[in-house]
Amino acid sequence: MAGSNVISIAMARSFISMLALVSIASMEENLSSRNYDYSSKICLKSSTNFSAESVAQFDTSSCYLSCTFSSSLTILTNIDRPEQTKRFIFRLRDVKTDCEDAVADKEEFENTFSVKLYKENKLDKQIKGQSEIIRGLQNGIIDTFLHATDVHEGKVAEDPGCKVLRLDEQNLIGFEKHCNLQNVDKKELVTAKVEYKEIFHVIYSDEGRNVARRECVFYSTNLQENIGLVSFTSVELNLSEVLDVSDGKEENVVGNEIKQEIERGNQEEVINKGKNLMVKIQKTKVVSIEGSKAFLSLVSLLKTISKENAEAFITKFKTKKAFKHLVDAAAGSSNLFVHKTMVKVLSKNKNKNLLERYLIALGFINPSNDLVSELLRDIENIPEKDENVRETGIYSLCHLVGKLEDSENVRKKVFSLVRGSGSDCKSVPCQRRMVNCVAAMGRDCYTKQLLQQVKSSQDKLAREMAVIALGKPGLVPDKLAKNVAEELLNIFKDDQQNTLQRLAAFNSITLDNDTSIKMIDNLGRNNKDLTSFVTQKLYQTLLKKPDLDIKRKILNYDFLSLQNSGQSVYISKDVANLESTSVGFVFSLIMNGNALKRTNFVLKTEDETSGNEIIRLDSIVGGLSSFVGDADPEDDPEANASVQLSLLGLPLRPFVLFSSFGDLVEMYWSGAAEKMTSFLSGSVLLLDRKQSFPLSNGLELKIQATASISFDFSGKAEISIWTKNGKTHVENAGVIVVNLEAKVGDKFLVFENSFAAEGMLEVDTDISMSGEEVLACVMMKQKDTKLELTELQTLLDKEKETAHTTQLPGVTWNLNMKNNQMCNNLLGK
């Protein structure tokens, strides 16, 4: 028994010793304790001139979405020497705010929180509670305090894409930062723009140091670069009292995570909401501001829909008249469940128009690798008898693959689809498809292949298409640009080449000063139609340049008189300026003698460095020279005409109007072309981007930018074989909507900004080939344009809405002097 007692006493002593060692090992020492006056402010509002906004003197007086917080703050600094750690402990007291509902639980706001610093700058934050706002503010206090410590020690991080100005004055150190955060894709029509400005000061006094931090985040798009929404936040920590050091026995704070519940709408709610949106689109018409906004809401609904709800939703409305709008929105949703269901439903329809419509709309999304892989399988499964649908799907797939990183393996599979059953691409249809696919990808990897097709293809149109592709932005790398320009210039100067290919080369060349001078010096006068076209384009392009030497070469009678030497027409006009971006159109009509060969209409945007084609409409005509004069030996043996439309860089499959004289006669007698017909309509998603920014006060700013374009391109034609006259009327109607939504917290501060523009451009063409010379008159009329800007601000469920609408009067464009003369001659008869 005695031995047992000895063992028990020894174990007890060991246990007590172990506890003592643990206690010593975890003992903290308090280095300092200080009281601060903490204050923070946040403001969300619109800005019409962000470049002029001052972070130091930001005006919050007009800010409806605004909240201030203030409190006394105690910060204790403890160290654990054996563990070589430092712990900062924070306690807030006497909280005051003008947003009481945001911090309804004052006890949670006054929970103690902490951060421990380990070796190698590792952090361990401990924050308790379930309020997203309170936790965010506490996290912001930690970050601001640690940031101030780094600045005090001379540590200022350099951020890529930011300009940082270090400040070091008598009683102040810190920095000013200005960042451009966006990754601009010049190939996209609508891109997001993000700017960030911050001022951080550590201010010294005899008592200690204070901290002042102010920042602005500005979010807009390239359509209105200086107009958008701005978030302003400020944080101040002002030292009020230095306290006695404590005994170091502060409590160990144990934080927790926010319990997040995923909301899933039930099937009936989803279907009813979708139904209401489709009814709104149908009633207001998709090419309207109201209809386009409803379309964006429908896309948003479909983005998060479950597999079961997707199947029920699509099945419910597949036979309804408004189903076509659901087809467009399904494509924009990028939801794999929705995609699989939609393809399954549409593939069963005998009429494949809706499937083709879906594939076109799908070509504009920002795709995931999974969706591209699924689409690749879908196109492989399209039967050969549906060759038109297959071709449309291939072009959309090409456009999507061009947006992916590291897509070489996928591109090989896509090119295999383009080739079809053949092992090479020597056939004419394959060569034409391949050029369209490469153009849709927008990659600069295939310049050599395009040049090879220009030189070796046996098909005139395939060569011409390759030449045109070499002039598209993004298809030629900088290192090959000079070589390509020389090749195109050689084609243009070669009299042995046919006129169409020479003009295609001319249109693909960038007309800088040196190239323009070479063009002017090598301008022959034997080919009147070519000379007329080239001089018109050179005049309209070079007149905008400031170089006086260039202007002297074109502003003289010898040069200007050449514009009237043939019947071809070139017209270029700017119709609107949106800050750094201009919107304009180009119309061209190429004649060969009395025979119409090509027409081209392009609506485009341009800035200082690049441009984008919104819509491109090309018509190709052949085999008609013998009907209007002497037969051209290089003309096609059969009368034919086709139209190809390209929308936002996505080429659609060619639409054949007629392929023989018999087809032309049948079309004439049937009167089918004389009816106003929509050849393409719908809605596509242009922008869908979500970003989040941790603000200086610890809250998170979540921003979503979405944009869509809704369009209807319709037209009709009257053709008289006997009088050799023709008329066309084309209506290009469109609406663009850009939505910006900013949130701080789920329902704390919500700012929604929507910009919309609705308009129509009418193009009328009259052609007479009954006289000795062909007369062509083009009239372009821009209808009234409606602009709308709306804002919805929500502060803790309290809403404030404003709307401004502007009507811009329509205008009939004065195109150029030559067109005016031809219109007078033709219409004055």
Side-chain angles (χ1 to χ4, degrees):
M1 290 293 292
S4 176
N5 288 334
V6 170
I7 293 173
S8 297
I9 293 170
M11 288 181 65
R13 287 174 177 172
S14 298
F15 182 70
I16 293 170
S17 298
M18 184 176 68
L19 287 176
L21 288 172
V22 170
S23 176
I24 293 171
S26 61
M27 182 68 70
E28 289 185 340
E29 174 186 348
N30 178 243
L31 292 183
S32 67
S33 299
R34 291 179 170 86
N35 278 344
Y36 291 83
D37 291 327
Y38 160 74
S39 64
S40 176
K41 183 159 192 166
I42 182 168
C43 162
L44 284 181
K45 69 172 189 174
S46 60
S47 175
T48 57
N49 189 7
F50 182 69
S51 59
E53 298 278 12
S54 169
V55 184
Q57 299 177 341
F58 190 87
D59 179 18
T60 60
S61 61
S62 63
C63 195
Y64 174 73
L65 298 179
S66 175
C67 274
T68 58
F69 304 90
S70 63
S71 172
S72 64
L73 170 66
T74 302
I75 303 178
L76 293 86
T77 304
N78 289 6
I79 62 168
D80 188 332
R81 296 186 189 278
E83 292 294 325
Q84 296 183 339
T85 62
K86 182 182 288 188
R87 186 163 70 109
F88 298 104
I89 303 162
F90 304 85
R91 297 172 183 150
L92 290 164
R93 295 291 183 270
D94 301 324
V95 180
K96 297 180 178 64
T97 178
D98 53 5
C99 297
E100 293 289 342
D101 291 344
V103 288
D105 189 349
K106 295 290 182 66
E107 291 184 3
E108 182 174 336
F109 204 102
E110 296 181 356
N111 283 338
T112 301
F113 53 103
S114 68
V115 59
K116 183 179 284 190
L117 278 63
Y118 295 89
K119 295 179 181 178
E120 301 177 355
N121 297 321
K122 292 182 179 178
L123 301 179
D124 177 24
K125 295 179 181 179
Q126 296 295 330
I127 302 175
K128 295 184 288 185
Q130 292 298 309
S131 168
E132 180 185 4
I133 303 302
I134 295 175
R135 289 175 65 100
L137 292 171
Q138 292 172 343
N139 186 64
I141 291 172
I142 292 175
D143 287 344
T144 297
F145 182 78
L146 294 180
H147 215 37
T149 303
D150 287 341
V151 171
H152 171 69
E153 295 174 356
K155 301 174 185 176
V156 178
E158 297 289 339
D159 293 336
C162 297
K163 295 179 181 179
V164 179
L165 174 65
R166 293 173 181 259
L167 305 174
D168 190 352
E169 302 173 8
Q170 185 175 2
N171 297 318
L172 180 151
I173 61 172
F175 61 84
E176 294 182 5
K177 184 185 292 186
H178 188 180
C179 310
N180 287 302
L181 306 177
Q182 77 274 28
N183 294 317
V184 176
D185 187 348
K186 291 294 185 181
K187 293 186 290 185
E188 299 294 340
L189 178 64
V190 182
T191 57
K193 174 185 176 182
V194 187
E195 279 191 65
Y196 172 84
K197 297 178 182 179
E198 180 184 10
I199 296 176
F200 197 102
H201 290 168
V202 177
I203 306 156
Y204 296 92
S205 67
D206 293 338
E207 291 77 23
R209 58 179 185 261
N210 301 326
V211 182
R213 186 179 191 183
R214 301 166 74 89
E215 71 171 5
C216 286
V217 177
F218 177 72
Y219 202 97
S220 66
T221 68
N222 60 319
L223 296 183
Q224 292 181 299
E225 290 192 349
N226 221 20
I227 300 175
L229 60 90
V230 60
S231 160
F232 169 79
T233 51
S234 66
V235 178
E236 291 187 6
L237 298 177
N238 294 314
L239 182 64
S240 60
E241 184 181 6
V242 178
L243 305 175
D244 294 335
V245 295
S246 71
D247 58 6
K249 295 180 180 179
E250 280 70 34
E251 70 271 35
N252 187 30
V253 182
V254 179
N256 58 14
E257 299 292 332
I258 293 182
K259 299 176 183 178
Q260 294 184 339
E261 297 182 2
I262 300 175
E263 293 185 10
R264 296 186 182 275
N266 66 52
Q267 196 171 100
E268 186 177 354
E269 288 177 353
V270 170
I271 289 176
N272 286 337
K273 188 174 181 180
K275 178 183 177 181
N276 292 334
L277 290 171
M278 284 191 288
V279 168
K280 187 173 184 179
I281 296 172
Q282 190 72 14
K283 284 186 175 180
T284 60
K285 297 185 179 180
V286 69
V287 188
S288 69
I289 292 177
E290 294 79 7
S292 295
K293 287 182 177 181
F295 167 76
L296 279 175
S297 298
L298 185 57
V299 171
S300 179
L301 176 67
L302 293 173
K303 275 186 172 298
T304 56
I305 199 171
S306 66
K307 178 182 177 181
E308 294 74 18
N309 286 350
E311 291 174 348
F313 193 7
I314 293 171
T315 303
K316 172 88 173 175
F317 295 104
K318 66 181 181 180
T319 59
K320 306 298 182 182
K321 188 176 181 180
F323 184 59
K324 60 185 178 182
H325 306 308
L326 180 57
V327 169
D328 294 338
S333 73
S334 303
N335 185 322
L336 195 58
F337 298 136
V338 173
H339 170 77
K340 289 181 178 180
T341 305
M342 187 61 75
V343 171
K344 182 180 178 181
V345 169
L346 296 178
S347 297
K348 294 178 180 179
N349 293 348
K350 291 183 179 180
N351 188 333
K352 302 300 180 184
N353 289 341
L354 280 180
L355 177 57
E356 195 167 8
R357 180 182 180 129
Y358 176 73
L359 293 172
I360 291 171
L362 204 62
F364 300 98
I365 64 172
N366 288 319
S368 64
N369 289 298
D370 290 341
L371 188 58
V372 169
S373 298
E374 187 70 25
L375 180 60
L376 185 62
R377 288 189 289 269
D378 294 334
I379 296 173
E380 287 173 341
N381 293 330
I382 295 176
E384 291 185 5
K385 63 183 179 66
D386 296 325
E387 58 179 347
N388 288 341
V389 179
R390 187 181 181 90
E391 183 176 0
T392 296
I394 287 173
Y395 296 155
S396 290
L397 184 60
C398 294
H399 204 221
L400 294 179
V401 170
K403 300 179 182 181
L404 296 178
E405 299 294 334
D406 302 322
S407 60
E408 184 176 353
N409 290 333
V410 183
R411 294 201 301 269
K412 289 179 181 179
K413 294 178 182 179
V414 173
F415 289 144
S416 177
L417 279 176
V418 175
R419 287 191 295 270
S421 58
S423 58
D424 54 36
C425 200
K426 293 182 179 179
S427 69
V428 171
C430 180
Q431 289 180 359
R432 296 181 182 180
R433 288 196 303 269
M434 190 64 77
V435 172
N436 278 334
C437 180
V438 169
M441 280 187 183
R443 296 265 183 158
D444 61 6
C445 316
Y446 306 103
T447 305
K448 293 181 179 178
Q449 289 85 341
L450 289 172
L451 284 172
Q452 183 62 35
Q453 181 157 316
V454 170
K455 295 175 181 178
S456 62
S457 177
Q458 299 301 308
D459 180 62
K460 293 183 295 183
L461 184 56
R463 292 198 305 271
E464 184 183 340
M465 289 173 64
V467 170
I468 293 171
L470 288 170
K472 292 184 178 292
L475 292 189
V476 177
D478 292 339
K479 63 182 179 180
L480 295 178
K482 184 176 180 181
N483 178 52
V484 170
E486 290 175 354
E487 291 284 351
L488 293 173
L489 187 58
N490 289 334
I491 293 172
F492 171 74
K493 295 189 321 188
D494 187 358
D495 292 338
Q496 302 303 312
Q497 297 277 2
N498 70 60
T499 301
L500 295 175
Q501 192 156 331
R502 292 178 67 189
L503 285 177
F506 170 69
N507 284 328
S508 294
I509 296 173
T510 301
L511 293 177
D512 55 29
N513 284 359
D514 291 339
T515 305
S516 300
I517 291 173
K518 290 178 183 178
M519 292 282 186
I520 295 171
D521 292 342
N522 289 276
L523 193 60
R525 305 198 179 195
N526 294 329
N527 190 326
K528 294 182 178 180
D529 290 302
L530 183 142
T531 302
S532 172
F533 186 91
V534 170
T535 51
Q536 288 178 70
K537 182 173 180 179
L538 283 172
Y539 172 75
Q540 294 179 51
T541 303
L542 300 180
L543 200 61
K544 300 176 183 178
K545 295 184 178 292
D547 192 298
L548 294 177
D549 292 334
I550 287 287
K551 290 184 178 180
R552 289 190 189 99
K553 284 183 172 290
I554 62 173
L555 295 177
N556 58 77
Y557 176 79
D558 286 343
F559 182 89
L560 295 175
S561 63
L562 296 175
Q563 298 183 57
N564 298 314
S565 59
Q567 307 305 316
S568 297
V569 175
Y570 176 87
I571 298 165
S572 175
K573 284 285 183 183
D574 290 337
V575 298
N577 286 302
L578 302 172
E579 296 189 12
S580 61
T581 302
S582 64
V583 181
F585 65 81
V586 171
F587 177 83
S588 63
L589 183 147
I590 297 176
M591 307 292 295
N592 190 8
N594 284 341
L596 174 65
K597 303 301 292 184
R598 301 285 186 270
T599 67
N600 166 260
F601 173 77
V602 179
L603 185 64
K604 60 180 182 175
T605 63
E606 285 184 339
D607 57 28
E608 293 180 356
T609 59
S610 64
N612 281 295
E613 292 182 352
I614 301 174
I615 177 177
R616 180 187 183 98
L617 182 62
D618 295 300
S619 66
I620 299 169
V621 183
L624 294 179
S625 59
S626 60
F627 297 98
V628 293
D630 296 332
D632 180 0
E634 293 187 356
D635 202 1
D636 299 334
E638 284 283 354
N640 66 88
S642 63
V643 173
Q644 179 154 18
L645 182 69
S646 178
L647 185 64
L648 301 169
L650 173 64
L652 307 184
R653 64 175 176 84
F655 178 72
V656 177
L657 299 176
F658 56 87
S659 56
S660 66
F661 184 70
D663 290 345
L664 178 60
V665 172
E666 182 179 347
M667 185 172 69
Y668 170 71
W669 286 116
S670 68
E674 297 178 13
K675 298 177 183 177
M676 198 68 179
T677 304
S678 175
F679 51 87
L680 186 66
S681 65
S683 300
V684 297
L685 198 67
L686 299 179
L687 176 68
D688 183 15
R689 185 175 182 182
K690 290 183 178 180
Q691 287 181 278
S692 60
F693 304 93
L695 301 176
S696 62
N697 64 356
L699 301 179
E700 185 179 33
L701 174 65
K702 298 177 182 178
I703 297 180
Q704 181 174 13
T706 56
S708 70
I709 185 169
S710 302
F711 51 86
D712 184 9
F713 307 133
S714 304
K716 63 179 181 178
E718 298 177 14
I719 304 170
S720 174
I721 300 174
W722 320 120
T723 62
K724 299 180 181 179
N725 291 331
K727 292 183 179 182
T728 65
H729 175 74
V730 177
E731 294 181 357
N732 302 304
V735 175
I736 187 167
V737 175
V738 181
N739 286 343
L740 300 179
E741 181 186 67
K743 284 186 176 182
V744 177
D746 186 29
K747 296 180 180 179
F748 177 36
L749 304 177
V750 183
F751 181 95
E752 297 175 68
N753 172 290
S754 179
F755 169 77
E758 177 183 342
M760 178 187 290
L761 185 66
E762 294 182 348
V763 183
D764 289 283
T765 306
D766 282 73
I767 299 177
S768 173
M769 296 179 285
S770 58
E772 294 183 0
E773 65 176 10
V774 175
L775 296 176
C777 169
V778 181
M779 290 174 287
M780 291 192 182
K781 182 185 297 183
Q782 184 178 332
K783 307 289 279 187
D784 290 352
T785 301
K786 180 181 178 182
L787 303 178
E788 183 180 280
L789 180 64
T790 59
E791 291 182 0
L792 177 62
Q793 302 178 71
T794 307
L795 174 60
L796 296 169
D797 290 329
K798 298 176 182 176
E799 293 185 349
K800 177 184 177 182
E801 186 172 12
T802 58
H804 303 281
T805 302
T806 304
Q807 195 90 357
L808 301 179
V811 60
T812 298
W813 290 97
N814 180 10
L815 299 179
N816 62 20
M817 186 178 296
K818 179 176 180 178
N819 183 69
N820 293 344
Q821 291 172 348
M822 295 182 76
C823 288
N824 289 335
N825 293 337
L826 179 60
L827 302 179
K829 288 185 175 181

